[in-house]
Amino acid sequence: QSLAFSKQTTLWASPANPGAAELARELARAFPGLTVSTVADVGSSASARPSTALRGLARRSRRAADVTHMLLYLNQNTWLEEDGERLAEQVKQAREDRLKIVMAH
């Protein structure tokens, strides 16, 4: 018997989270009803504060793809360099926005 989500679920995998997009696609293949969003990086605008940029991204993503969860894939590269800093800001903003966070290791 297959497992499936009872309602439409969209999992956001940040491009700043190494390996998250690949894991999200693997989960989507295994679970019917799961959609993956890998919207472009949040911190690309030099003038925008990351949290402000993420807030805007979250709103755009929810309108476009109805994001319900953020995937946080933890590995040896998760918090490194600029991507790690950007991801930390995205996680903080997701928590402020009360977006459900799914962690995998």
Side-chain angles (χ1 to χ4, degrees), residues 11-105:
L11 186 63
W12 177 57
S14 169
N17 189 182
E22 293 84 341
L23 177 57
R25 286 190 290 272
E26 186 176 330
L27 291 169
R29 283 192 299 273
F31 297 99
L34 179 64
T35 303
V36 173
S37 173
T38 55
V39 175
D41 193 17
V42 186
S44 59
S45 170
S47 63
R49 286 183 19 243
S51 59
T52 303
L54 179 60
R55 204 175 351 261
L57 171 69
R59 280 194 294 271
R60 286 192 304 276
S61 297
R62 285 188 187 113
R63 279 197 304 265
D66 196 26
V67 170
T68 58
H69 297 73
M70 175 184 188
L71 175 62
L72 179 57
Y73 179 51
L74 302 170
N75 61 50
Q76 69 273 15
N77 299 315
T78 301
W79 307 111
L80 299 180
E81 301 176 10
E82 287 182 27
D83 276 349
E85 291 176 28
R86 191 167 23 257
L87 181 62
E89 288 297 323
Q90 293 169 344
V91 170
K92 286 178 194 174
Q93 188 61 54
R95 289 177 48 86
E96 284 179 24
D97 292 346
R98 298 183 141 336
L99 186 62
K100 294 174 185 163
I101 299 175
V102 177
M103 293 188 283
H105 185 274

Side-chain angles (χ1 to χ4, degrees), residues 2-16:
S2 297
L3 297 177
F5 290 93
S6 60
K7 58 184 175 182
Q8 183 59 38
T9 303
T10 301
L11 186 63
W12 177 57
S14 169

